[in-house]
């Protein structure tokens, strides 16, 4: 695997391999020195043309925990403001010597374009409404951690499906792992067609909540709405928000998820976001380990002719010289294939 551009390109075996690799990096992240030398000498650049807190910081943390060097591009302080194109920006960053580029862009397909222009690996960090593969992986990992297996797991994804790359990534990741996915939204917040999507569509949240194992709330994406698609946020909350009253009616084991950033009081009540059934913080925590797994999978087995072979010895010292901070416990040094 050279790039990670589309969740839909991942088979069940691919996803399971990445989630198993993630187990190893969760273990690494729990160490007192959460660092291994696996990607020493590699450079990972963040090319973010759209705001992000979780994805950008967790990719940078993941790269550093793998001992890669990092390079951060922020559009607000870049030459994009002088008119530099996406292609020229990507070529400029590649010329500085990078092995992987994480791309976030408001336009669907931008990471694919970057991958066609440069030789480095490209990871889609979220493009328009299209996809957000590492979000799909971290959500699948977090849910699996709670419920054991996604086979037969009943998941409701609620809200602004139309504008949501997270929904598209999660539908594929969850369904590929055997879950039964129901989309819950008013017709105006659904895509024009979901033909081919492995989902059931419902319009009334209260008819669905009694028979789910997990509820996944989506953010109301006001910045992507060009028309009034709901009468008001108050009405949206009344019909589709996970209010305190609705959460009270959920079973003790029902998992509550949200990709962040949240609009507390709109799609999720503040108290519900902090409920013990909510795994929103776990999603963020697991995001680092999932992104370590993805970077390791893409770069860990590569040996470029202009570089020395990668440091993959599990007993080798890390940058700190501490033996503890070497490779993950479950020998991911041997795990990558291809
Ligand atoms: N969930 C998510 O992608 O969050 P950020 O926009 O903060 O990266």
């Amino acid at each position: 695997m050279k790039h990670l551009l589309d969740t839909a390109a991942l088979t069940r075996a691919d996803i399971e391999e990445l989630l198993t690799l993630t187990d190893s990096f969760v273990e690494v992240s729990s160490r007192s020195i959460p660092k291994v030398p696996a990607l020493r000498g590699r450079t990972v650049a963040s090319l973010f043309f759209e705001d992000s807190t979780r994805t950008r910081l967790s990719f940078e943390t993941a790269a550093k925990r793998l001992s890669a060097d990092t390079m951060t591009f922020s559009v607000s302080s870049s030459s994009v403001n002088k008119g530099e194109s996406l292609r020229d920006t990507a070529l400029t960053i590649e010329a500085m010597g990078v092995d992987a580029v994480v791309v976030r862009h408001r336009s669907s397909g931008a990471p694919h374009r970057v991958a066609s222009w440069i030789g480095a690996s490209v990871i889609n960090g979220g493009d328009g409404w299209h996809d957000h593969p590492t979000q799909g992986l971290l959500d699948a990992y977090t849910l699996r951690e709670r419920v054991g297996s996604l086979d037969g797991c009943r998941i409701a994804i609620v809200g602004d499906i139309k504008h949501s790359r997270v929904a598209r990534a999660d539908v594929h990741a969850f369904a590929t792992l055997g879950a039964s996915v129901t989309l819950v939204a008013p017709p105006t917040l659904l895509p024009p067609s979901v033909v081919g999507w492995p989902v059931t569509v419902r319009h009334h949240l209260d008819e669905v909540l009694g028979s789910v194992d997990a509820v996944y709330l989506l953010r109301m994406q006001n910045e992507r709405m060009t028309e009034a698609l709901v009468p008001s946020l108050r009405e949206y909350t009344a019909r589709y928000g996970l209010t305190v009253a609705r959460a009270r009616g959920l079973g003790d084991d029902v998992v509550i998820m949200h990709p962040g950033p949240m609009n507390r009081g709109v799609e999720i009540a503040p108290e519900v976001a902090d409920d013990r059934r909510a795994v929103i913080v776990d999603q963020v925590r697991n995001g680092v380990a999932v992104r370590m797994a993805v970077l390791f999978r893409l770069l860990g087995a590569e040996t470029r002719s202009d570089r020395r072979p990668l440091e993959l010895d599990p007993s080798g010292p890390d940058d700190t010289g501490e033996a503890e901070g070497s490779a993950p416990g479950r020998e991911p040094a041997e795990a990558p294939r291809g």
Side-chain angles (χ1 to χ4, degrees):
M1 191 192 299
K2 180 174 170 76
H3 306 296
L4 178 57
L5 299 172
D6 302 289
T7 314
L10 297 173
T11 63
R12 181 168 185 148
D14 292 331
I15 295 174
E16 286 178 344
E17 182 192 346
L18 284 165
L19 300 192
T20 300
L21 199 49
T22 299
D23 285 334
S24 304
F25 290 114
V26 166
E27 187 274 318
V28 168
S29 296
S30 72
R31 295 178 187 174
S32 57
I33 300 171
K35 196 163 182 178
V36 288
L39 296 187
R40 194 155 47 191
R42 301 292 196 229
T43 300
V44 177
S46 305
L47 190 53
F48 276 53
F49 288 85
E50 194 185 70
D51 294 342
S52 168
T53 298
R54 280 147 286 269
T55 310
R56 187 167 60 82
L57 290 179
S58 67
F59 263 115
E60 287 170 11
T61 304
K64 285 175 180 160
R65 288 187 181 174
L66 292 167
S67 302
D69 294 322
T70 57
M71 193 188 288
T72 301
F73 166 91
S74 174
V75 70
S76 61
S77 56
S78 75
S79 291
V80 169
N81 294 326
K82 300 175 194 167
E84 192 161 41
S85 69
L86 174 62
R87 183 171 185 273
D88 285 338
T89 302
L91 292 174
T92 298
I93 287 173
E94 182 180 43
M96 295 178 200
V98 296
D99 299 282
V101 181
V102 184
V103 180
R104 169 167 289 195
H105 203 284
R106 74 184 68 81
S107 298
S108 299
H112 298 69
R113 299 293 288 149
V114 173
S116 74
W117 294 325
I118 68 174
S121 290
V122 176
I123 301 168
N124 183 351
D127 61 329
W129 307 355
H130 169 238
D131 208 340
H132 194 350
T134 55
Q135 183 74 45
L137 290 168
L138 75 89
D139 288 336
Y141 185 87
T142 304
L143 189 52
R144 199 183 67 162
E145 198 173 46
R146 275 294 171 110
V147 302
S149 166
L150 266 61
D151 266 316
C153 186
R154 299 162 301 171
I155 306 165
I157 301 178
V158 185
D160 184 4
I161 314 283
K162 178 174 179 166
H163 301 97
S164 178
R165 57 194 173 213
V166 173
R168 287 162 177 79
D170 279 355
V171 163
H172 181 78
F174 293 161
T176 300
L177 293 175
S180 166
V181 181
T182 301
L183 304 180
V184 186
T188 51
L189 291 182
L190 286 165
S193 168
V194 292
V195 171
W197 293 35
V199 297
T200 303
V201 175
R202 302 288 292 273
H203 300 303
H204 300 287
L205 180 59
D206 291 321
E207 293 174 5
V208 173
L209 286 182
S211 55
V212 294
D213 301 301
V215 189
Y216 197 107
L217 289 317
L218 295 170
R219 183 171 68 88
M220 282 294 283
Q221 300 198 29
N222 292 321
E223 76 275 21
R224 297 195 206 282
M225 289 193 193
T226 53
E227 55 195 319
L229 298 176
V230 292
S232 70
L233 287 183
R234 184 192 290 264
E235 183 166 336
Y236 177 82
T237 303
R239 294 190 60 196
Y240 295 98
L242 193 56
T243 58
V244 171
R246 287 196 175 105
R248 210 176 279 132
L250 291 173
D252 279 353
D253 296 331
V254 172
V255 183
I256 299 168
M257 306 181 77
H258 192 299
M262 289 181 275
N263 295 313
R264 286 179 185 249
V266 180
E267 68 268 3
I268 186 166
E271 301 87 340
V272 178
D274 300 325
D275 190 282
R276 61 166 190 78
R277 294 166 293 182
V279 294
I280 298 160
V281 175
D282 303 277
Q283 290 171 258
V284 176
R285 186 182 301 112
N286 289 332
V288 176
V290 162
R291 286 162 180 138
M292 289 173 80
V294 168
L295 289 172
F296 189 76
R297 181 70 179 77
L298 295 185
L299 302 182
E302 184 192 14
T303 52
R304 278 169 42 172
S305 58
D306 59 337
R307 292 176 185 265
R308 62 174 174 69
L310 286 167
E311 172 62 75
L312 292 176
D313 180 359
S315 62
D318 69 1
D319 285 351
T320 66
E322 299 279 343
E324 184 186 7
S326 57
R330 198 199 143 277
E331 72 275 347
E334 298 170 11
R337 294 181 287 277

